[in-house]
Each structure stands twice: as C-alpha cells, then as structure tokens.
Amino acid sequence: MFESGTEWLRAEGSATDVVLSSRVRLARNLAGLPFVSKAGRGDLRLVLEAARPAIERAALDKSEVWIDLHDASEIERALLLERHLISNQLAKGKPAPKSGATEWPRAVCFGLPGERASVMINEEDHIRLQCIRSGMALREAWRDADAIDDRLESHIDLAFSPRLGYLTACPTNVGTGVRFSVMLHLPGLRMSGEIERVRRAASDMSLAVRGFYGEGSEASGDFYQLSNQTTLGKSELLLLEELDGRIIPEVIEYERQARQSLLSKRRWQVEDTVHRAFGVLQHARLLRTEEAMKLLSVVRLGICLELLGHAALGDVQTLMLLIQPAHLQRTCGREMGQDERRRARADVVRERFAEH
Amino acid sequence: MFESGTEWLRAEGSATDVVLSSRVRLARNLAGLPFVSKAGRGDLRLVLEAARPAIERAALDKSEVWIDLHDASEIERALLLERHLISNQLAKGKPAPKSGATEWPRAVCFGLPGERASVMINEEDHIRLQCIRSGMALREAWRDADAIDDRLESHIDLAFSPRLGYLTACPTNVGTGVRFSVMLHLPGLRMSGEIERVRRAASDMSLAVRGFYGEGSEASGDFYQLSNQTTLGKSELLLLEELDGRIIPEVIEYERQARQSLLSKRRWQVEDTVHRAFGVLQHARLLRTEEAMKLLSVVRLGICLELLGHAALGDVQTLMLLIQPAHLQRTCGREMGQDERRRARADVVRERFAEH
C-alpha cells in the first residue's frame, strides 16, 4: 500500500534542526449536501461518489491511492493514522457522525510518491486536503494546496458564501478554511524549562499547540505541532505572513538559543544524556513506544548539536514511524501482542543503529 | 606503591559466578601492652616497633610493603581502603583510640604480588592479619593465615589465655580470634525479592551481613560480605566446616536457582536489563560511583548467565576498583573534584569496554 518514504519524515529542507515538517490543510464541503455531522449514510455515500472522480481528475501527484476506510482493516487504518494521513477520529470511526449510522462511509486518498498531498473524505468536513513538506516550507506547502484546490474546484461544486467565504462544519474554520501548521522539535526549550512560556505565548497569539498525533495527543518526544486556530476574517496570505514570516522563525530562534545555552552551561550533562540515549537504543531488548520516542528525540537533538557523528537524522525520523505499533506489525508481517511488539521494536531500532 | 592486580578481584577459582573472594582475618594482640583503645601514643609506637620486624621476618609473601598510615597522605589511605587493605577507621584515623592522641600511630603491611596477605597494625587490635583468595577458597585462605600466624608467633609474644584463647579488644573475637568471610554477588536474590529472607536466615545463624566496604557500608552493587559473628567456644575448623561445608554452598545454590528462575520466567526483562546496563556503561559521559557499581553488578550477572559474550568478568571486577574515587585520581595522575571524577569515571569505563 505504501512506499517506505513519507515526505514529513524526509529530514530535508530548511531549518530541519527544529522543524520536522510544514503542513497546510484546507477544509471544504460540497454544495447542496448536509455537513458530515448532520448527514445520513446515504448523504455520505453521495459525498464519496462525487468526491472521488473530482479528486482523481485534480491529480494529487503522479498517482493516487484511494482507500475506503469503512472497508479497511483495523491495522490498515492504524497504519494510515501513524503516517499522519488520517485523523484519529477517521481511523477509529467513532463517534460516528449521526446516531444510527452503524457504518460510516469515509475514505482517504493520497498522492504518490511521498504522500505529500492527501485528502480525507467525510471527516469533520466533506473534504480535508492536506499538503505537507519536509522542514520549514509553509509557502511551498501552501502553493501545493492552492494549486490542488483550484483544480479540485474546477471539477466539483463547493459550499461557499460571498460574505463568509468557504463554509465549514466548525465555525473556527469558516472563511479560508485553511490551517497552517508546523511540527517542531523543541527539546532545548523543554530541558531549559521554557516550554510552558512558549506554550502560553502561542496561546496568547491564538495558536494551537498539539502533540505528535494532533488534537488531544501528548507532546511525544518533545514534538509539538503549532498551528493557527481561526481562519475567519484573515486572508491566507496574512496568516502565512504571520506564521512563516514572524512567529515560527522566532520559535526556531528560541529553541536554537536554548540548545546553545544548554551546551555552554551544561555541556557534559547534555553529552551524557545524548550518548546514554543512543546507548540504550543500541542495546535495549525491550522498548515501549513512549520511551523509544523520548530516546529518539534526545538522539535527534544530539545529531543536530553534532554530538553524535555516527547517526543520521533520516534514520532517527524513519524509526519514529517504524516503531509505531501498526508499522512494527507490518514490518514483521504478523499481528503481535504488546510484549512481542516491545521486543520487535527494540530489534528494529538496534538493527537500524547497528549499521552505523 | 601497588601493582595493578589484587587477589580478591582476580575472578579465578571456584564458584566465581557468585563468590568474589574468600577472606580469613585473625585478631592478635601483643602480650604486655594495653589494647589499642586503652593505649597512649607511646604504647602504640611500641606496638609498631615490635610488630614490624616480626611481620617482616614472618614474610607475608615474596616481598612486603610497609606503610605508616600516620605519615601517609589522605589519597594514599583512600587507595588502601578501596583495595580492602585497611578499614575505614584506620584510613580516617578517627575516632582516635584514646582522647588526647592527636596522631594515631598505625600502619599496614601487605605482601606482593597480589596483596593476598596483609596486616593492619593498631586497628581495633594490635595485629589484624588478613588472607584473601579469589573465588570460593576459605580453606586455602585459612591455610595461608594459619601458616603466617605460626611464623609470626615464633617471632613475637602474643596475648593468650589458656582458658579463653587469644585475647582481643572486642569480646566477640576472643578465642580463636578468627573471622571467615566471603564476598558474595547476589543480584538474583535481590531481583527475585528473596534477599531479605537470606539476610534474616544469616542473622539467625549468627552470621553478619555487610556491604562492599565492610562494617556499616551499604550493599553496593548487590555485593554482600557474609561472615561469622563470634569466635568464642568454637574451633577454627568447626567454624570453617559450618561456613565452607554447609552455609555458603547453600547461599550459592539459592543464588544460582534465583538466577535460573529469573531466566526461565523473565528472560526478556533480564536480557533487556543486562544489555541496557552494558549500553549505558559503553556510552555514558558522566558516572557516579554508586550508579557505576550497580551497572557493573548487572553486567557481571549478564556475563555469568552468558548473555554478554563480549565482556569479561576480569574487566568488570577491575573496573569495580578503578572507578573508586582514589583509584580514579591515581589513574589520571591528579586530584579531581566530584564533577571531574564523574567524567573521568565514564572515560575509564568506556575505554575498558570499547576494547571488546
């Protein structure tokens, strides 16, 4: 189903020491059909039927993969979730949008190679287009999304109000329906104790701070997703200018300063922490997902600070995906219980780091 | 002053999976002079003057080293303590045996090579002879001690009562004045939670359980020193028969069973713990003595269980000595503060384990 690589873990581009990936998401709904939360099963099927040919004609990339999630296996949906191609809600299929709807017709379509563009169908909105780029590249992601949106609109009729803009299920998305977000790696600010100050500042600027797996998830391994909250009354370019031109560069600068300050004030402790994390990853026989993410985060910091000559950023980021439960089971080719997964996780990590 | 090797860390002989070393200690006092606790400085000097030629004539080994501890530097005394050649009290020189004695005349003499036999002069008793052997070898250590004791007695007049036997400062030593002890490595019993039961059983049999550095020390890294408490009314051979013939073999068997039981019930956890410990030792940049001892203890277990093919028991036991503060400073050739020692300790460990 997937190729091995996924754009957001490619570790290439600008400011990759702090920015994992940049993402633009557009919320769109089809004209003349009720929003997902109000739709019956028949309506949702109509959305799927209308959206599929339009998306395929709009062309996400060289080729597309379409997956009907209501027919997909649990592990297939978990894989899509771990690859950040679908949301938790869409993966689980609950809470279902309308009472009585036992099977929720929903799908995802993503472009190959790289899964840079993807569309969730019948999530909170009929259509949620996501364009992602490695590193700090909000403008490039925006250009991708804007182009696909234009092509899509030429093939399908979208709900739009001349006064409000694009109509969306949640009022915070009304207007441009755009959400810009960046996945940041902020171990320096966490270690220096400044992360809460950054969280508060972000909140004051109406920015949302989320974890590695989006809404409601914890900041696994010091990864934080920063995004705008509301879209009404601000143009895409103004939002982009704020985030790309000012706010994100400032956060990147804070994080870099925090790292340099740690290095100059507590160099030995930082080196010790980094090397121990690498040592545990190279030797452990059992690893939980959470612990592995924390250790990988520390190793990632070590690589960025040039303390670990023998490990590559790309390997660390690939592992962040491969250690997740569904990917682990796909790699091993079988379903596994928790204990077995912990062993397999340690094996996968050890093999990857033994090569260097 | 020292050669690199010391008998009790040689890791050779019988039952080295559980027994680090076997030790026999004899308490003796010179006839006609007050016990150390009652002696003035002049008396203590007389003891030194009488003991030295007698010990040298008795010949501890191929050659002897005599060190006047009241003239020795603090680091020299710390080195002797870390090598288990002198007690904590003798190293520190306090509490001094008699009020007003600002300088406590005291010495140590040990045989080379291997430091297998040593004598502390003016510790609790005038003379404390210690003979040590690697592994389970109480009988051999006893033969060494008995032979030296005979030679010593032919050169000096010892305090002896036909009714009570050898007279000693502490009543528990009166009689044979002998203490047999073994240094045991009991990580299996600690991990299985049975160590307290063994402690209580030992106590019920009038055995003392002490830590790695003798009286009052903690069981650093799962090392426990087991020894008889009283010597009055029991012959040396009866004591030896009890310990060597029954009690110690039983403890060894308990520990081996605990290890096998851990392996069969929790093999993955044990392997994980062992390999993580080795990984941290191979990679850490800062190490405290206590943590290093704990990790070395786990690695020692891993070697005995054949889980770590690439590490040698001898290296682990050599490190147990080299990571101690005074040895570390001797290795580096300079005095170091605590932070610097933590770095040097990690370096010494890393270098040793990198060779394999």
Side-chain angles (χ1 to χ4, degrees):
Chain A
M1 175 168 72
F2 307 108
E3 303 180 353
S4 58
T6 173
E7 174 71 16
W8 62 280
L9 291 175
R10 203 158 50 86
E12 285 175 19
S14 174
T16 48
D17 55 334
V18 181
V19 185
L20 229 68
S21 61
S22 305
R23 188 179 72 118
V24 172
R25 188 222 62 197
L26 295 180
R28 300 288 184 257
N29 287 276
L30 304 197
L33 282 166
F35 285 147
V36 172
S37 62
K38 302 288 181 193
R41 215 190 317 176
D43 297 323
L44 296 174
R45 290 211 170 273
L46 286 177
V47 173
L48 287 182
E49 282 162 26
R52 183 163 186 170
I55 292 166
E56 286 175 352
R57 257 175 270 151
L60 299 179
D61 210 319
K62 283 182 189 138
S63 66
E64 284 86 36
V65 175
W66 175 282
I67 295 169
D68 283 315
L69 295 167
H70 47 278
D71 289 337
S73 68
E74 195 179 326
I75 196 144
E76 204 173 7
R77 284 178 278 136
L79 280 167
L80 291 162
L81 175 64
E82 290 175 2
R83 294 178 88 80
H84 291 198
L85 288 170
I86 62 175
S87 65
N88 198 26
Q89 197 189 356
L90 210 64
K92 301 256 165 71
K94 50 189 176 184
K98 201 183 174 186
S99 71
T102 51
E103 198 46 88
W104 170 7
R106 62 203 196 281
V108 65
C109 182
F110 53 89
L112 292 178
E115 305 165 14
R116 293 210 289 205
S118 59
V119 184
M120 290 191 285
I121 300 105
N122 288 339
E123 211 254 11
E124 189 178 293
D125 296 291
H126 294 153
I127 286 176
R128 287 213 160 176
L129 169 65
Q130 161 178 290
C131 287
I132 210 155
R133 287 278 191 152
S134 175
M136 183 62 193
L138 272 181
R139 282 177 190 276
E140 291 82 348
W142 165 245
R143 273 200 294 272
D144 294 345
D146 197 34
I148 294 170
D149 187 41
D150 284 349
R151 298 201 294 272
L152 199 59
E153 212 161 352
S154 71
H155 298 295
I156 205 163
D157 199 14
L158 298 176
F160 184 83
S161 145
R163 191 169 59 89
L164 296 171
Y166 289 102
L167 301 178
T168 55
C170 178
T172 57
N173 293 320
V174 168
T176 61
V178 72
R179 168 161 280 169
F180 296 102
S181 63
V182 283
M183 185 71 81
L184 300 166
H185 187 218
L186 306 178
L189 290 167
R190 198 255 308 153
M191 285 184 190
S192 70
E194 293 168 272
I195 194 73
E196 279 312 311
R197 207 159 55 84
V198 171
R199 266 178 183 276
R200 279 196 301 274
S203 176
D204 291 346
M205 291 183 286
S206 292
L207 298 175
V209 181
R210 290 169 179 164
F212 193 61
Y213 280 105
E215 207 160 342
S217 72
E218 286 295 303
S220 179
D222 301 317
F223 295 103
Y224 299 85
Q225 189 183 297
L226 202 75
S227 59
N228 62 301
Q229 292 264 35
T230 56
T231 64
L232 187 62
K234 283 188 184 173
S235 77
E236 296 92 336
L237 289 177
L238 185 63
L239 282 166
L240 189 58
E241 189 51 51
E242 273 183 15
L243 281 166
D244 179 75
R246 189 173 59 84
I247 297 172
I248 307 295
E250 267 180 28
V251 177
I252 294 172
E253 196 46 38
Y254 281 146
E255 169 64 20
R256 285 177 177 161
Q257 281 172 8
R259 292 181 186 181
Q260 287 311 316
S261 166
L262 282 171
L263 261 199
S264 64
K265 288 183 198 151
R266 293 159 52 190
R267 185 177 186 98
W268 282 102
Q269 283 92 328
V270 174
E271 288 199 7
D272 185 52
T273 305
V274 164
H275 284 283
R276 278 174 185 245
F278 196 61
V280 171
L281 288 171
Q282 276 194 319
H283 291 265
R285 261 50 178 179
L286 295 174
L287 275 174
R288 292 165 196 257
T289 312
E290 259 310 293
E291 187 195 9
M293 284 296 282
K294 277 185 189 153
L295 294 169
L296 287 170
S297 163
V298 173
V299 167
R300 192 185 192 282
L301 173 68
I303 293 169
C304 294
L305 292 175
E306 296 179 352
L307 300 177
L308 278 175
H310 42 323
L313 212 54
D315 282 328
V316 171
Q317 299 196 175
T318 299
L319 280 176
M320 283 162 50
L321 190 60
L322 293 184
I323 60 164
Q324 303 296 333
H327 275 79
L328 210 53
Q329 294 176 77
R330 187 180 68 143
T331 301
C332 298
R334 65 182 190 282
E335 274 194 57
M336 294 186 285
Q338 194 177 63
D339 285 350
E340 209 185 342
R341 285 207 302 275
R342 285 182 189 159
R343 296 203 291 272
R345 186 172 293 119
D347 290 346
V348 162
V349 171
R350 231 167 42 247
E351 273 163 35
R352 173 71 55 159
F353 283 139
E355 289 165 24
H356 300 275
Chain B
M1 173 168 73
F2 308 108
E3 304 181 353
S4 57
T6 172
E7 174 70 16
W8 62 280
L9 291 175
R10 202 157 50 86
E12 285 175 20
S14 173
T16 48
D17 55 334
V18 180
V19 185
L20 230 68
S21 60
S22 305
R23 189 180 73 119
V24 172
R25 187 221 62 195
L26 295 179
R28 301 288 183 257
N29 286 277
L30 304 195
L33 282 168
F35 285 145
V36 172
S37 61
K38 302 288 181 191
R41 213 185 325 173
D43 298 322
L44 295 175
R45 290 211 170 274
L46 285 178
V47 173
L48 286 183
E49 283 162 26
R52 182 162 187 171
I55 292 167
E56 286 174 353
R57 257 174 272 150
L60 298 179
D61 210 319
K62 283 182 190 140
S63 66
E64 284 87 37
V65 175
W66 175 282
I67 296 169
D68 284 316
L69 294 167
H70 46 277
D71 289 338
S73 68
E74 194 179 328
I75 195 147
E76 205 173 7
R77 284 179 279 135
L79 279 168
L80 291 161
L81 175 64
E82 290 174 2
R83 294 178 89 80
H84 291 198
L85 288 170
I86 62 174
S87 65
N88 198 26
Q89 196 189 358
L90 209 65
K92 301 255 165 71
K94 53 190 173 182
K98 199 183 177 188
S99 69
T102 52
E103 199 45 87
W104 170 8
R106 62 203 195 280
V108 66
C109 182
F110 54 88
L112 290 179
E115 306 165 13
R116 292 210 290 204
S118 59
V119 183
M120 290 191 286
I121 299 106
N122 286 338
E123 211 254 13
E124 190 179 293
D125 296 291
H126 294 154
I127 285 175
R128 288 214 158 175
L129 169 65
Q130 161 177 290
C131 287
I132 210 155
R133 287 278 190 151
S134 174
M136 183 62 194
L138 272 181
R139 282 176 190 277
E140 290 82 347
W142 164 248
R143 272 199 296 271
D144 294 345
D146 196 34
I148 294 171
D149 187 40
D150 284 350
R151 297 200 295 272
L152 199 60
E153 211 161 352
S154 71
H155 298 296
I156 205 164
D157 200 13
L158 297 176
F160 184 83
S161 146
R163 192 170 58 89
L164 295 171
Y166 289 103
L167 300 178
T168 55
C170 178
T172 58
N173 292 321
V174 168
T176 60
V178 71
R179 168 161 281 169
F180 295 101
S181 63
V182 283
M183 184 71 81
L184 300 166
H185 187 218
L186 305 177
L189 289 168
R190 198 256 307 153
M191 286 185 191
S192 68
E194 294 168 273
I195 193 74
E196 279 313 311
R197 208 159 54 83
V198 171
R199 266 179 183 276
R200 278 196 303 274
S203 177
D204 290 346
M205 291 184 285
S206 293
L207 299 176
V209 181
R210 289 170 178 162
F212 194 62
Y213 279 105
E215 208 161 340
S217 73
E218 286 294 304
S220 179
D222 301 319
F223 295 103
Y224 299 85
Q225 189 182 299
L226 202 74
S227 59
N228 62 301
Q229 291 264 38
T230 56
T231 63
L232 187 61
K234 283 188 183 173
S235 76
E236 296 93 337
L237 289 177
L238 184 64
L239 282 167
L240 189 58
E241 190 51 52
E242 272 183 15
L243 282 167
D244 179 74
R246 189 173 58 84
I247 297 172
I248 307 295
E250 267 179 31
V251 177
I252 293 172
E253 196 45 39
Y254 281 145
E255 170 64 20
R256 285 177 179 163
Q257 281 172 8
R259 291 181 187 181
Q260 287 311 317
S261 166
L262 282 171
L263 261 198
S264 65
K265 288 184 197 151
R266 292 159 51 191
R267 185 176 188 99
W268 283 103
Q269 283 92 328
V270 174
E271 288 199 8
D272 185 53
T273 305
V274 164
H275 284 282
R276 279 174 185 244
F278 195 61
V280 171
L281 288 172
Q282 276 194 320
H283 291 265
R285 263 45 179 181
L286 296 174
L287 275 173
R288 292 165 196 256
T289 313
E290 260 309 294
E291 188 195 8
M293 284 296 281
K294 278 185 188 154
L295 294 170
L296 287 170
S297 163
V298 173
V299 167
R300 191 184 192 282
L301 173 68
I303 294 169
C304 294
L305 293 176
E306 297 178 351
L307 300 176
L308 278 175
H310 41 322
L313 212 55
D315 282 329
V316 171
Q317 301 197 174
T318 300
L319 280 176
M320 283 162 50
L321 190 61
L322 293 184
I323 61 164
Q324 303 296 333
H327 275 79
L328 210 54
Q329 293 176 80
R330 188 181 68 142
T331 301
C332 298
R334 66 181 188 284
E335 274 194 57
M336 294 187 284
Q338 194 177 63
D339 286 349
E340 209 185 342
R341 285 206 302 275
R342 286 182 189 158
R343 296 203 289 274
R345 186 172 292 119
D347 290 346
V348 162
V349 170
R350 230 166 44 248
E351 275 163 34
R352 174 71 56 159
F353 282 138
E355 290 164 24
H356 300 278

